[in-house]
Amino acid sequence: EAGVTQFPSHSVIEKGQTVTLRCDPISGHDNLYWYRRVMGKEIKFLLHFVKESKQDESGMPNNRFLAERTGGTYSTLKVQPAELEDSGVYFCASSFSRADQDTQYFGPGTRLTVL
Amino acid sequence: EDQVTQSPEALRLQEGESSSLNCSYTVSGLRGLFWYRQDPGKGPEFLFTLYSAGEEKEKERLKATLTKKESFLHITAPKPEDSATYLCAVQAEVTGGGNKLTFGTGTQLKVEL
């Protein structure tokens, strides 16, 4: 079974440009999460989808970040316009909803560098 | 606010030299405590979930334990292939089903021959 996949693996853009990251969750997983690690810091939560609905977007840093999950399958995270402090590794994770547990499986990440 | 602190930040062991990694946490109500392994350039790889104090889980040379304030990851007779960053994360009991993980900064383990 394929794991969580993310595209691209790396992206280098200029300040002010737009970048779109994509995440394909494990087939059948209704929960999809976005996390981010900036240099030297811990991995931090950005937002959580249940199917196509945003369950929790409390970690989104500002309105330059827009996440979508049309149709409840893959998700995109757009940063527009990008700023220097947006550099970091963006991870996607997915899980299958169960009342008693929620094990999140992570993708390999997208390394974003804003120059 | 949920908080996770891991120690030590880095650990160097000789092959076969057993040790433990610590994860201290504060959370309003614990739904689960997770251990992940992360290799350079890769995403976190799931190892264990612990749900209640006193629970233990094992996988090969790794054993995770949980108390009401902390978790330990014990590594018995480690091998060089155990070298990685080990991450601890907590998930809080939240009304409405929020499932976000709060991570620590990790322990970077290096096992040498």
Side-chain angles (χ1 to χ4, degrees), chain A residues 52-92:
Chain A
E52 66 274 11
S53 299
K54 291 176 185 174
Q55 174 79 12
D56 180 0
E57 50 185 327
S58 62
M60 294 288 265
N62 52 61
N63 59 9
R64 295 185 294 103
F65 289 74
L66 175 64
E68 294 180 323
R69 192 183 182 195
T70 307
T73 54
Y74 71 92
S75 175
T76 58
L77 180 65
K78 181 191 286 188
V79 185
Q80 179 182 30
E83 298 289 345
L84 299 179
E85 63 264 26
D86 301 332
S87 295
V89 183
Y90 290 76
F91 293 105
C92 175

Side-chain angles (χ1 to χ4, degrees), chain B residues 16-38:
Chain B
E17 180 187 1
S18 301
S19 188
S20 296
L21 313 182
N22 177 263
C23 170
S24 298
Y25 65 91
T26 53
V27 65
S28 50
L30 183 69
R31 184 179 182 209
L33 184 142
F34 298 79
W35 282 99
Y36 287 86
R37 168 191 171 129
Q38 188 174 21

Side-chain angles (χ1 to χ4, degrees), chain A residues 18-32:
Chain A
T18 298
V19 64
T20 300
L21 314 181
R22 173 172 169 143
C23 168
D24 286 77
I26 293 171
S27 178
H29 281 192
D30 46 358
N31 291 298
L32 188 149

Side-chain angles (χ1 to χ4, degrees), chain B residues 45-48 57-64 74:
Chain B
E45 175 189 342
F46 171 72
L47 293 174
F48 305 108
K57 288 195 176 169
E58 286 188 68
K59 180 181 179 180
E60 295 180 359
R61 295 176 292 282
L62 300 177
K63 178 179 174 181
H74 307 278

Side-chain angles (χ1 to χ4, degrees), chain B residues 67-88:
Chain B
T67 73
K68 288 187 178 180
K69 293 184 179 180
E70 57 192 349
S71 177
F72 291 93
L73 185 65
H74 307 278
I75 303 176
T76 302
K79 298 182 178 183
E81 54 262 40
D82 295 321
S83 298
T85 296
Y86 290 85
L87 300 169
C88 174

